[in-house]
Amino acid sequence: MSVDPMTYEAQFFGFTPQTCMLRIYIAFQDYLFEVMQAVEQVILKKLGDLPGCEISPVQVRKCAEKFLGFMKGRFDNLFDKMEQLFLQLILHIPPNILLPEDKPQELHPCSEEEFRLLQEEIEQLQEKYKTELGAKQALLAELEEQKIMQAQLKQTLVLFDELENAGRDHGTSDFRESLVFLVQNSRKLQTIRDTVEREGKRMKIL
């Protein structure tokens, strides 16, 4: 069996020529074996019809196996020659022939250096695509966070409106002024608390 992978032929046929030859070889072997079985059965039937025949079925089987081995050896020799002819003349694409899908290579040939540069450019484009894809995913994640923050802000504004309405119901004219007043008072309370804590620490030291 040939060791040449014949990849260009496989591109055209859809299978490697070696695979084709192997299947032909197996099919011939199976057919030869079936023929020998049929011949053996015919011989046994003919011998059974002969009176006083001393040839046993075991002897017939041995002779059939010996003949099968002889035929297999002859077939292998013939198949080797047939395989060479098939792979060289029938299943072989000449080096000056291009497949239709490879015609652009003939119209736009490139050197090894140009091919290497094209490969580098492809790799760079792939890296750029990965980077842009990562940036897009980051932007989508940031957009999702902004949507969440917008929803939270909307809830806060709704809460302020509800508090303002509640303030009006209890006689407060302007909720925003009340909120500023509360913030100022909370700061004063925080200052007083800090002063008390400092005085407490000083008293403990004394």
Side-chain angles (χ1 to χ4, degrees):
M1 196 66 69
S2 174
V3 295
D4 183 5
M6 302 183 73
T7 54
Y8 204 52
E9 286 78 5
Q11 178 181 338
F12 175 73
F13 292 113
F15 55 85
T16 62
Q18 291 88 345
T19 301
C20 177
M21 297 307 301
L22 178 61
R23 291 178 178 176
I24 293 175
Y25 179 80
I26 293 174
F28 268 100
Q29 291 280 11
D30 292 341
Y31 180 74
L32 181 61
F33 182 74
E34 291 175 0
V35 168
M36 291 308 304
Q37 282 186 321
V39 170
E40 181 182 351
Q41 294 298 323
V42 171
I43 292 174
L44 289 175
K45 184 177 180 181
K46 293 293 184 181
L47 292 177
D49 296 337
L50 294 177
C53 180
E54 298 180 355
I55 301 176
S56 66
V58 175
Q59 291 176 316
V60 174
R61 171 58 60 87
K62 288 182 179 181
C63 292
E65 291 177 351
K66 186 176 180 180
F67 184 70
L68 178 62
F70 170 78
M71 291 296 295
K72 185 177 180 302
R74 296 286 294 178
F75 172 74
D76 288 343
N77 292 332
L78 293 174
F79 187 83
D80 288 339
K81 298 178 182 179
M82 182 177 70
E83 181 186 18
Q84 292 179 4
L85 291 175
F86 267 72
L87 295 180
Q88 292 175 3
L89 302 178
I90 299 177
L91 300 176
H92 175 65
I93 298 178
N96 61 328
I97 300 298
L98 281 177
L99 297 180
E101 58 267 28
D102 295 331
K103 284 293 184 181
Q105 296 182 11
E106 184 179 23
L107 300 176
H108 307 284
C110 64
S111 63
E112 292 184 2
E113 180 64 20
E114 291 174 337
F115 182 71
R116 184 184 64 80
L117 293 176
L118 285 175
Q119 284 184 320
E120 292 180 355
E121 184 178 356
I122 291 173
E123 292 176 357
Q124 293 175 358
L125 290 174
Q126 289 176 340
E127 290 297 328
K128 184 178 179 181
Y129 171 75
K130 291 179 182 178
T131 302
E132 292 181 353
L133 183 61
K136 179 181 178 181
Q137 292 176 347
L139 289 174
L140 291 175
E142 184 178 353
L143 180 62
E144 190 66 24
E145 291 180 358
Q146 291 180 356
K147 289 181 179 179
I148 295 174
M149 292 178 63
Q150 186 177 6
Q152 293 176 348
L153 179 60
K154 185 176 180 181
Q155 292 178 354
T156 303
L157 293 175
V158 171
L159 178 61
F160 282 167
D161 291 339
E162 292 177 352
L163 290 174
E164 187 174 3
N165 293 331
R168 290 197 187 100
D169 294 339
H170 290 82
T172 303
S173 59
D174 191 346
F175 172 74
R176 290 179 175 79
E177 293 179 359
S178 299
L179 184 61
V180 171
F181 177 74
L182 289 174
V183 171
Q184 292 175 350
N185 286 336
S186 65
R187 290 176 178 173
K188 291 179 181 179
L189 289 173
Q190 185 175 4
T191 303
I192 295 172
R193 187 195 66 182
D194 294 340
T195 303
V196 171
E197 288 180 352
R198 286 196 299 270
E199 290 295 328
K201 291 179 181 179
R202 189 175 65 82
M203 293 297 295
K204 287 180 181 180
I205 294 175
L206 297 176

